[in-house]
Amino acid sequence: MNRYHGDEADTERIFAALPPARGRGFAQTWWGRAWLTTLEGTALDSGQLKAGRGLARAGAVGAVSVRPGRITAVVKDRDGTAHRADVLVQELSGQQWDRFLAMAGERAGHVAALLDREMPTHLVEDAELAGVELLPGPGDLEPECDCGTWDHCAHTASLCYQVARLLDQDPFVLLLMRGRSEQALLDALHGHGDGSAGRPGARVPEGVDAAEAYAAGDILPSLPAAPALPTEPAIPPSLDTETAPPAGIDPSALEFLAARTAARAYDLLAQALRHEHERQPVDPAHPRTPVAAVHSLGPTAPLDPLRPAAPVHPFGPVDPFGPVDMTDLPAPEPSVAVDAVRLAAGAPGRAVADRLAEGSGRGREGLAAAVRAWEVGGAAALAVLDEEWTVRGADLARARAALESAWAEDERPALRARANRWTVVDAPFQLRLGRDGRWWPYRKERGRWLPAGGPAQDPATALATAERACGE
């Protein structure tokens, strides 16, 4: 819909929610009825209009915001579900307003009628002769509602029925929708030489009534347009300056941390801008993050705030992420060793990688193995790599049942068990049971057991993964 923005584009009036309209019509004046005629001639579904009348009569329409080109209210369904309903109204152009002001300035009776909260038919007829349509016509009322209906729904219809009652009380509401507030109109008429605009008794509202402002609490402004996704993550500024860094600060480490943070932010923004992102299910472990985001970011960019205490960070007493609100995040504070693996998975330079290996206590080969685990399964895979625990009770019974049922009797491999690890006899393969009941495939490389792939629910699948990895 075309919009014409004048000096009064930011003007807004808030009307407190009207009481239920049981037993009476919504419009008593001819211009109020003309407004409803336009609505009823525009809507395609008469059932939605009927439902809208029901909601309006029941008092389900909250405070109404009226501003140039738009009316807004929160409407509640009978089950209490709230919907934001908007109706866009075609604004008059600057030239149309000039013609209207010239016409009204020549006929003082028109302005006097408006100040008396009347809209005589001859005012509308004279405006039409000047090429100005004050009352909206077919196609001038464009609905928008978060319920998803593309045409007028019960929510936008109830808003229009409620606005008809407001128009009965004050025709300046219509002029505001068309683009000019009462004060702006009177000032403009005074500038055209119409003395009646400033006569004693003329109503010139100042400010916003407190009750009306309070009643607007349920009306939120429209969200700004989503930002466009950059072509790539931002590159943090270089810290390579001629000034020596303070003691304990490693510029190369800080540059790496800044680059990882930028990459993580980029991935999160890409997920947020994905089509129908808001309809994706939410991972219970990350209540603010959709499941798709958790899986697509992968273990190299976890969403838990893996952030050790600054005094024992492998990069020294630096907190590059700034303050983080931990109150609504379920992940516990990780160890320095775990955080070092997460950072090492971001492919740092040699100097930073050496500091991570030293700070984590793993050494180069141990950190490389941990990064490999992180890349196939994040923190869960890292725990399986590091932890050796005794399987007892019901967990042991389930594990034995899974091993017995995974293969036919003549195909079952010979396995040697120790704690939560089952090693294939005379073969470089191993199965490890995670605390969550999943089986992780491992294979021996250069004397070290390394993860061979992601987890499986049954041991046969996990062992097949390890064998395929060996063949590759």
Side-chain angles (χ1 to χ4, degrees):
M1 173 172 290
N2 296 328
R3 298 292 304 274
Y4 303 95
H5 297 286
D7 295 337
E8 293 299 311
D10 294 331
T11 299
E12 181 181 21
R13 289 183 66 184
I14 306 295
F15 297 86
L18 295 176
R22 299 184 179 92
R24 53 160 290 177
F26 288 99
Q28 307 300 317
T29 62
W30 77 268
W31 59 89
R33 291 193 294 271
W35 165 271
L36 293 181
T37 298
T38 298
L39 166 68
E40 293 165 357
T42 301
L44 300 178
D45 188 347
S46 60
Q48 296 286 6
L49 293 179
K50 182 178 180 180
R53 286 194 295 269
L55 291 176
R57 289 191 185 281
V61 181
V64 178
S65 165
V66 180
R67 54 194 184 278
R70 183 182 293 266
I71 56 176
T72 304
V74 174
V75 182
K76 291 185 178 181
D77 284 329
R78 298 190 182 278
D79 63 359
T81 304
H83 296 276
R84 172 180 169 139
D86 293 79
V87 175
L88 278 61
V89 182
Q90 182 73 48
E91 294 183 45
L92 300 180
S93 67
Q95 292 181 345
Q96 288 175 312
W97 276 116
D98 288 339
R99 292 196 295 269
F100 176 81
L101 292 171
M103 178 275 297
E106 295 173 356
R107 298 169 177 80
H110 289 340
V111 180
L114 287 173
L115 291 173
D116 289 336
R117 279 24 191 184
E118 295 287 336
M119 182 178 285
T121 55
H122 57 268
L123 184 155
V124 176
E125 292 169 354
D126 288 345
E128 290 178 354
L129 292 176
V132 180
E133 298 284 345
L134 290 181
L135 292 168
D140 283 348
L141 304 181
E142 183 177 325
E144 288 185 355
C145 184
D146 61 12
C147 73
T149 304
W150 66 272
D151 189 40
H152 275 287
C153 61
H155 312 112
T156 57
S158 65
L159 172 58
C160 288
Y161 281 109
Q162 205 74 319
V163 168
R165 299 172 65 185
L166 298 178
L167 290 172
D168 272 1
Q169 300 171 10
D170 188 355
F172 276 106
V173 171
L174 175 63
L175 299 178
L176 177 57
M177 284 187 278
R178 287 301 207 179
R180 292 290 176 91
S181 68
E182 178 179 353
Q183 183 60 58
L185 187 61
L186 295 177
D187 290 343
L189 286 170
H190 185 73
H192 276 71
D194 181 30
S196 64
R199 61 174 167 74
R203 296 180 60 180
V204 182
E206 297 181 0
V208 178
D209 180 76
E212 294 180 355
Y214 181 80
D218 290 336
I219 298 179
L220 300 177
S222 300
L223 293 175
L229 183 68
T231 56
E232 59 185 12
I235 300 177
S238 174
L239 300 179
D240 184 11
T241 65
E242 297 180 357
T243 304
I249 301 299
D250 185 343
S252 62
L254 286 177
E255 288 181 348
F256 168 70
L257 289 174
R260 292 302 304 153
T261 302
R264 175 182 174 185
Y266 180 87
D267 289 336
L268 291 175
L269 179 60
Q271 289 296 329
L273 296 179
R274 178 173 293 180
H275 180 61
E276 293 190 346
H277 167 79
E278 70 281 359
R279 298 181 182 273
Q280 297 180 17
V282 173
D283 189 327
H286 305 283
R288 291 184 176 180
T289 307
V291 171
V294 175
H295 293 295
S296 65
L297 288 177
T300 59
L303 298 176
D304 292 340
L306 299 182
R307 174 176 170 267
V312 294
H313 199 283
F315 290 154
V318 177
D319 184 7
F321 294 107
V324 177
D325 181 6
M326 303 291 291
T327 58
D328 61 347
L329 294 174
E333 196 74 16
S335 66
V336 174
V338 172
D339 199 50
V341 174
R342 178 184 70 85
L343 294 172
R350 180 62 178 269
V352 174
D354 288 345
R355 292 198 63 181
L356 289 169
E358 179 183 357
S360 66
R362 293 180 183 271
R364 288 185 181 176
E365 291 187 2
L367 184 60
V371 167
R372 183 164 170 177
W374 189 270
E375 289 174 344
V376 299
L382 186 60
V384 172
L385 174 73
D386 292 338
E387 297 177 3
E388 183 174 334
W389 53 283
T390 302
V391 186
R392 294 189 177 93
D395 291 336
L396 180 59
R398 283 192 292 269
R400 287 175 173 172
L403 290 167
E404 291 176 1
S405 61
W407 296 275
E409 185 68 28
D410 57 344
E411 296 178 349
R412 184 178 301 115
L415 299 173
R416 182 174 59 252
R418 190 185 76 179
N420 64 321
R421 302 172 182 183
W422 282 261
T423 304
V424 180
V425 177
D426 298 328
F429 307 122
Q430 187 182 83
L431 298 172
R432 295 192 179 185
L433 181 64
R435 293 186 182 273
D436 60 358
R438 294 184 298 174
W439 297 86
W440 295 78
Y442 270 70
R443 67 180 181 183
K444 181 174 282 189
E445 299 179 14
R446 297 187 296 275
R448 180 187 292 270
W449 287 107
L450 297 175
Q457 296 297 329
D458 69 278
T461 302
L463 183 57
T465 299
E467 293 170 344
R468 286 196 303 271
C470 186
E472 295 173 357

